[in-house]
Amino acid sequence: MELIQENPDLSAYLADDEVIDHRHPLVRETAARLAKGAADSYAYARAAFEFVRDTIPHSQDSGDPRVTWRASDVLERRTGICYAKAHALAALLRAEDIPTGFCYQRFEQVHGLVAVRFRGAWHRQDPRGSRPGVDARFSLDGERLAFTPDPESNELDYPVLYAEPHPVVLSALRAATDRPHLWKTLPTAL
């Protein structure tokens, strides 16, 4: 899928802010630990992806009622829904100067994932986490996402690549008192 950068300035996809707080000590420490075993930036990106996918359970799958949205909180509490896991992965990648943006899909609700820039192109990655029927993998050679939209069911891939998490997503995360509350207020469109 061809992604359209919301911001033409590539440096926007390396920025640190309140949500993607890649200068936070826990994010830096985690990134440094993952980078030690990586031969290059591609190996690091794969390791960061697998770390988020495999060691931070999706809170719906695990039954965790806590809502996280800031990358450092996701890493500290080891829980989050798709958006939060995408925020954590983006922070880890940006901590190592790998441009990372946010992209979304629409099913019954909006699903969040990231895209990384390698080989002069953007490649979508979905750190949601595996479960029966879901087998997302890091790949630069063809997408291995958790879900594939069905256009006949009015599902779609949004083509815009955002430098920051979408405001509709952040609003829902910030307003939620717990995950059951969040589940009732998840965005259904951007």
Side-chain angles (χ1 to χ4, degrees):
M1 164 177 198
E2 183 78 24
L3 293 170
I4 303 161
Q5 282 182 222
E6 169 204 32
N7 189 328
D9 182 359
L10 196 57
S11 69
Y13 296 87
L14 292 167
D16 176 87
D17 60 28
E18 180 187 17
V19 181
I20 313 307
D21 56 345
H22 67 76
R23 286 183 171 74
H24 186 281
L26 179 57
V27 176
R28 299 307 262 182
E29 174 186 306
T30 305
R33 188 172 66 250
L34 293 169
K36 277 187 183 174
D40 56 22
S41 60
Y42 174 80
Y44 172 80
R46 173 183 237 117
F49 171 86
E50 291 173 354
F51 174 80
V52 172
R53 182 194 65 190
D54 299 341
T55 69
I56 299 172
H58 188 286
S59 58
Q60 177 70 15
D61 295 349
S62 68
D64 194 322
R66 297 174 296 168
V67 174
T68 55
W69 52 269
R70 183 179 291 114
S72 58
D73 291 340
V74 175
L75 294 175
E76 180 183 339
R77 296 181 182 148
R78 296 291 176 113
T79 190
I81 67 166
C82 60
Y83 312 129
K85 291 180 65 139
H87 300 169
L89 179 56
L92 290 171
L93 295 172
R94 288 180 182 188
E96 291 294 313
D97 294 321
I98 299 171
T100 308
F102 301 94
C103 36
Y104 300 91
Q105 298 173 308
R106 187 184 74 213
F107 300 97
E108 286 181 26
Q109 292 91 21
V110 173
H111 175 61
L113 47 153
V114 302
V116 296
R117 185 133 179 116
F118 277 102
R119 302 180 191 155
W122 290 103
H123 304 272
R124 293 190 306 169
Q125 312 295 328
D126 190 346
R128 184 228 179 269
S130 296
R131 66 172 197 221
V134 176
D135 186 28
R137 297 180 185 262
F138 187 86
S139 176
L140 301 184
D141 301 312
E143 294 184 332
R144 297 289 307 270
L145 305 178
F147 309 109
T148 303
D150 175 14
E152 291 183 18
S153 299
N154 214 18
E155 299 172 347
L156 61 85
D157 286 308
Y158 286 103
V160 177
L161 178 65
Y162 297 92
E164 299 173 356
H166 196 281
V168 169
V169 167
L170 281 180
S171 178
L173 289 168
R174 287 178 168 151
T177 55
D178 58 19
R179 189 186 35 76
H181 174 252
L182 175 62
W183 235 240
K184 296 175 189 167
T185 61
L186 285 173
T188 56
L190 295 182

